[in-house]
Amino acid sequence: MPRRYDPDRPQRIIDAAITVVGERGIAGLSHRAVAAEADVPLGSTTYHFASLDDLLMAALRQVNGEWLAGIEVWARGVDPAVPLADEVTRLVEEWLGGERGRARVELEYELYLAALRHEVVRPLAAECLDAMVGLLARRTGDEGTARALVGLIDGLMLQHLLTGREFDRVEVRDAVARVIG
């Protein structure tokens, strides 16, 4: 039987890995689970991604790219006349809004935090953090404030996800304003 030409297969495998992590967490990521989700033979996943770390890195690279693209869109839309604390609060509120938003943020943090256990993934997570700092530094005027702001945003979002508390716009805005100065 001749091989079927399928140039989109690697991307389908990456998309399937993202779906699997979103539904089952990192612990549920396996070549078998991804092959079933992508509707490809098991051998295809190992052909294109020899190890789970390779697959995890491809998934994180894609999710990071989408995350950063969203931040870039936000950064271009920031109104210079509006206080940065208000704009950052709006961004966090948008990220956490609705079930789709919450599910996507959970997935992004699941992949991001995978770097704690998968050392090979750490440079990708660090690149994403650095890129986010770079985008925010354009508005804050200095890298230190931008890095503190990224840390605050991560902490606020993780706390929100873990506790299930209602989003408190005033509390978030006040915290962001304190960091920005």
Side-chain angles (χ1 to χ4, degrees), residues 136-157:
L136 289 172
R138 291 184 208 157
R139 185 68 199 271
T140 63
D142 79 282
E143 189 176 307
T145 301
R147 193 162 299 282
L149 189 53
V150 168
L152 174 66
I153 291 168
D154 279 338
L156 288 169
M157 290 188 21

Side-chain angles (χ1 to χ4, degrees), residues 3-15 38 40 44 47-49 62:
R3 266 194 178 168
R4 191 177 84 148
Y5 179 67
D6 190 359
D8 298 329
R9 186 172 287 188
Q11 184 59 55
R12 283 201 329 275
I13 292 169
I14 293 168
D15 292 341
V40 300
S44 289
Y47 175 79
H48 292 289
F49 303 96
Q62 180 169 314

